[in-house]
Amino acid sequence: MPTTITRRDAIGLLAGAAAAPLLARSAAAQPAWWQTIPAAAALVGDAQPSGQGIAIELPLVSEDGSAVDLAVAVDRPMTQDAFVESIHVFARGNPSPEVAEYYFSPLSGRAAVATRIRLNQSQTVGAVAVLSTGEVIAAARDVTVTISGCLARDDTYAATDIMQTRVRAPERIAPGGAGEVTTLVNHPMETGLRTDAAGTVLPEDIVRRLIATFDRATIFEARFHRSVAANPYLRFFVAPPRSGALVLRWEADGGRVAEERLDLVVS
Amino acid sequence: MTINRRTALGLIGAASGAAILGMPSIARAATGRVVVVGGGFGGATAAKYLKLRSPDLAVTLIEPAARFYTCPFSNLYLGGLIDFEAIGHSYDSLAALGVEVVHAFASDVDTAGRTVTLAGGDSLSYDALVLSPGVDIRWGALEGYDEAAAELAPHAWKAGPQTQLLRSQLEAMPDGGTFVLVAPDNPFRCPPGPYERVSLIANYFKTEKPASKIIILDAKDSFSKQGLFTAGWQALYGDMIEWVSRTDDGRVVRVDAAARSVETEFGRTVTADVLNVVPPQQAGLIAQRAGVTNETGWVPVKPETFESQLVEGVYVVGDATVAAPMPKSGFAACTQGKVVAAAIIAALEGRAPPEAKWANTCYSLVGPDYGISVAGVYAVIDGAIAEVPGSGGVSPADADGAFRAREAQYAHGWYRAISNDIWGTA
């Protein structure tokens, strides 16, 4: 008995044949997330970013868009020969998509940060990592932002001691190992997008940078934009080659500066 | 057998419900068996309304406890305002309605074979399954906080022996002691719960142990009804309650239950006389066994019906679900139970589910005569659950004492009404 092709089969086959070029075309037409953000596209340039070795942690659903926990880690060695130079975070659905940049050194030990960011709406949050080899890694995550029924929240800023800092580092770090530093600075991170009761725009007033030096050499730097949540919070790693002084320096608008010094013990 | 007035009304209600449901699809009435796991606000409601609307349906409710103690109003017990039995409810009225109530622990689900396995080894087959598993504690997610630690530093976030343990510790605490409550990050069961709890414990201290102090160590920088709570604390308790935000180093990273002390993110040690840890949570175990949880440990559901996004024929309600912006509250669970009952009956009758609407009303007592509330109505808007614009609101910030006293009365009315709706007991 000869094989017959029914009408449905025939349509299926045709559709299958037609689908492949269609899919290829739509993939080409659909830009990658970083291509839709000028600053991210400029960063990537002509590189073909891979999505391997980068992890973005975000809640699937955030119930408070004013402070969403975000962690980014790039799983690559941090040696003098090759290391992760920087990680750049973008939130495409915010009024300005740049969130923060983090600059590492081999003495960072690990290219991993955790912070809290503002998300205006449900959207895609992406990170681009640039390696000293010129390699670029990029990834993105979708996050749903909602304000839950019982969580009615006002956006008044209550903290009193602006530029007050908190720092915690391990009591000792094993030779060759990395230790995590947790830090926070009190600051409203005024976005420049809000108006007061009289309708006057409140000018942008934010913490711009955190610089970490070890024995006076910069080993890590973070640059903040308006999408970093009030009271900037940051966790990052240090891998000091010996015991010594870690100095953290925050720089904010209006010339405001705060400094903290910690003695790190390597043994 | 005599038919009392309430039963008669129930019968009439059920009959007219069936007639209305039957009209558009004369060919098929809802038959078969629905198994509901969990007899709390979501599950008991689903079981009741399935049976009420479709009496020919076999409805089995699996719940280990013969008597269910509610988290809502458990803070009144902790504050010494009511007896423990005042928050306990039996399943007699559900059984009288024709719901088969099985007091057992559902240990596993085979969603392919459509059977639920009980801890004793028995299994029950179903045509549709409702899971209302509530929350489980994520033991160990907060370093040092495991089941043994909870016997020393209770969570009391599931009403029962834990609640009684915390009350007995509060009673034993000397005047001048410190009560520390560790509050978790979102999402967790009952967002205003920790703050109502400290309020009513402050009320107990104010009258019985006035030299005592209360500290809330919070993993968040803001909390439910914050302005209303803060103003109420000031008005009723002066500076007895200290709230430490995450930014002010309130986030606890380690618990030493034996020492009744905790360590904060930036290294401060806080020691308590009575330590109450409200730990990180996730959907109840049976949800994981059924394969309906995602990587967050909670259950994503289809907005229109609360059917699992991951497993067909499994409906999930209550605190276990990702239903934001609807909160993890008893009232929300109750309305979800009603929506699921309607959706399942529609599915069994071969109809499309009716349009879903949910509501939440939540009262908190800041003091015995000082109530505050938040309410909202929810619907599916653009494919997602959303609050209906302009539907809800919170208590005014500038209300007078008489207003707060009336809201406290409404809180008691709220509890009687919802208990009566679900368990037939008030």
Side-chain angles (χ1 to χ4, degrees), chain B residues 11 24 28 50 73 101 106 118 121 130 146 151 168 177 219 232 236 242 253 271 297 307 333-334 351-352 367 419:
Chain B
L11 289 170
R28 193 137 63 109
L50 281 161
F73 268 42
V101 182
L118 305 181
V130 180
D146 55 16
E151 293 305 313
S168 66
L236 299 177
E242 180 192 356
V253 294
T271 303
E307 187 180 11
C334 176
R351 291 183 292 114
S419 303

Side-chain angles (χ1 to χ4, degrees), chain A residues 116 149-150 153 166 168 233, chain B residues 221-222 224 247 263 265 325:
Chain A
R116 297 203 293 164
C150 282
R153 160 186 179 99
R166 297 178 194 277
R168 189 176 196 187
Y233 169 91
Chain B
D221 271 341
S222 62
S224 172
T247 287
E263 182 185 325
E265 184 168 34

Side-chain angles (χ1 to χ4, degrees), chain A residues 21 38 68 77 82 87 106 108 139 145-146 194 222 230 257:
Chain A
V68 182
I87 294 175
S108 295
V145 177
T146 146
R194 295 197 314 150
V257 170

Side-chain angles (χ1 to χ4, degrees), chain B residues 85-287:
Chain B
E85 285 310 317
I87 57 168
H89 303 275
S90 81
Y91 293 95
D92 295 350
S93 79
L94 282 163
L97 196 65
V99 173
E100 183 194 8
V101 182
V102 177
H103 291 299
F105 182 77
S107 57
D108 208 352
V109 180
D110 171 5
T111 53
R114 302 209 166 201
T115 56
V116 174
T117 307
L118 305 181
D122 289 347
S123 69
L124 296 167
S125 63
Y126 63 80
D127 298 296
L129 177 66
V130 180
L131 300 180
S132 183
V135 298
D136 271 358
I137 307 300
R138 288 172 53 205
W139 299 114
L142 177 55
E143 190 181 332
Y145 199 70
D146 55 16
E147 284 172 278
E151 293 305 313
L152 300 168
H155 57 78
W157 219 242
K158 293 177 166 197
Q162 277 276 305
T163 319
Q164 292 172 297
L165 175 62
L166 179 56
R167 175 65 190 165
S168 66
Q169 291 186 354
L170 290 165
E171 285 174 337
M173 190 188 91
D175 187 15
T178 301
F179 170 68
V180 173
L181 184 145
V182 176
D185 203 352
N186 297 318
F188 65 99
R189 159 179 281 176
C190 190
Y195 313 97
E196 181 191 60
R197 176 170 293 181
V198 296
S199 303
L200 296 182
I201 289 171
N203 181 67
Y204 164 66
F205 285 171
K206 186 182 173 181
T207 46
E208 304 287 333
K209 297 165 184 184
S212 305
K213 182 151 185 52
I214 296 175
I215 301 170
I216 309 162
L217 297 173
D218 211 321
K220 303 178 293 300
D221 271 341
S222 62
F223 62 87
S224 172
K225 303 182 227 175
Q226 182 171 355
L228 292 166
F229 271 114
T230 308
W233 292 343
Q234 199 69 67
L236 299 177
Y237 312 116
D239 56 3
M240 180 186 277
I241 299 171
E242 180 192 356
W243 175 67
V244 185
S245 69
R246 175 171 167 175
T247 287
D248 288 335
D249 197 19
R251 183 199 214 182
V252 167
V253 294
R254 193 169 295 114
V255 175
D256 182 345
R260 289 204 169 78
S261 75
V262 297
E263 182 185 325
T264 63
E265 184 168 34
F266 289 100
R268 195 157 66 105
T269 297
V270 179
T271 303
D273 293 285
V274 176
L275 177 60
N276 177 197
V277 178
V278 182
Q281 298 150 32
Q282 62 191 359
L285 179 67
I286 195 72

Side-chain angles (χ1 to χ4, degrees), chain A residues 94-165:
Chain A
N94 279 8
S96 51
E98 295 86 355
V99 175
E101 296 97 45
Y102 308 98
Y103 295 90
F104 305 93
S105 71
L107 293 190
S108 295
R110 287 190 60 194
V113 291
T115 185
R116 297 203 293 164
I117 66 173
R118 290 171 166 148
L119 294 176
N120 211 34
Q121 58 186 353
S122 299
Q123 58 176 288
T124 300
V125 173
V128 176
V130 179
L131 280 68
S132 62
T133 56
E135 189 187 346
V136 176
I137 306 176
R141 281 272 313 258
D142 289 334
V143 54
T144 300
V145 177
T146 146
I147 295 290
S148 268
C150 282
L151 294 176
R153 160 186 179 99
D154 61 43
D155 61 355
T156 53
Y157 179 75
T160 44
D161 306 316
I162 288 179
M163 298 307 284
Q164 182 194 312
T165 59

Side-chain angles (χ1 to χ4, degrees), chain B residues 334-406:
Chain B
C334 176
T335 65
Q336 290 161 13
K338 290 173 183 175
V339 165
V340 155
I344 288 174
I345 289 168
L348 293 174
E349 291 178 348
R351 291 183 292 114
E355 186 190 345
K357 280 267 164 51
W358 305 268
N360 179 55
T361 59
C362 162
Y363 286 89
S364 300
L365 289 176
V366 185
D369 302 310
Y370 193 120
I372 56 176
S373 66
V374 59
V377 178
Y378 302 88
V380 179
I381 300 174
D382 298 332
I385 298 168
E387 185 167 358
V388 175
S391 66
V394 295
S395 305
D398 57 355
D400 61 14
F403 189 98
R404 304 291 189 219
R406 281 200 300 278

